Amino acid sequence: WIKTGLKASDLAATELKAKNLAGVDVLVGKDGSGKLFCVGNLCPHIGTPMSEGADVIGDVIVCPLHGSSFKVTTGELIDWCPSPPII
């Protein structure tokens, strides 16, 4: 386990906080029901930071740049980017 410096009470449901833990950029957050999770901060599509506006909808995180979405509990791909990168 690695300490995040956050308390569970520091986060509201669907809120995200970017952290660097042991040299890895992650997002610590809560899903729609208030369950804690931690995921990589970079979208696997093109490596853009999810911390720059990602939405949490239920137990799914949605990339702010392209709309790819993943389950926060398993990492399962829900929906892949429907368009080329918008840079």
Side-chain angles (χ1 to χ4, degrees), residues 11-84:
L11 296 167
T14 73
E15 187 177 1
L16 299 167
K17 295 267 185 187
K19 294 298 232 172
N20 185 289
L21 303 178
V24 178
D25 290 325
V26 299
L27 282 178
V28 179
K30 285 186 179 178
D31 67 14
S33 65
K35 261 179 113 170
L36 283 169
F37 67 87
C38 183
V39 297
N41 188 21
L42 299 180
C43 180
H45 174 235
I46 196 168
T48 55
M50 299 281 275
S51 58
E52 295 183 8
D55 288 319
V56 177
I57 304 167
D59 66 348
V60 172
I61 189 166
V62 182
C63 176
L65 194 57
H66 305 111
S68 295
S69 57
F70 310 87
K71 276 188 116 30
V72 298
T73 52
T74 64
E76 173 189 355
L77 174 67
I78 302 299
D79 192 24
W80 193 242
C81 171
S83 62

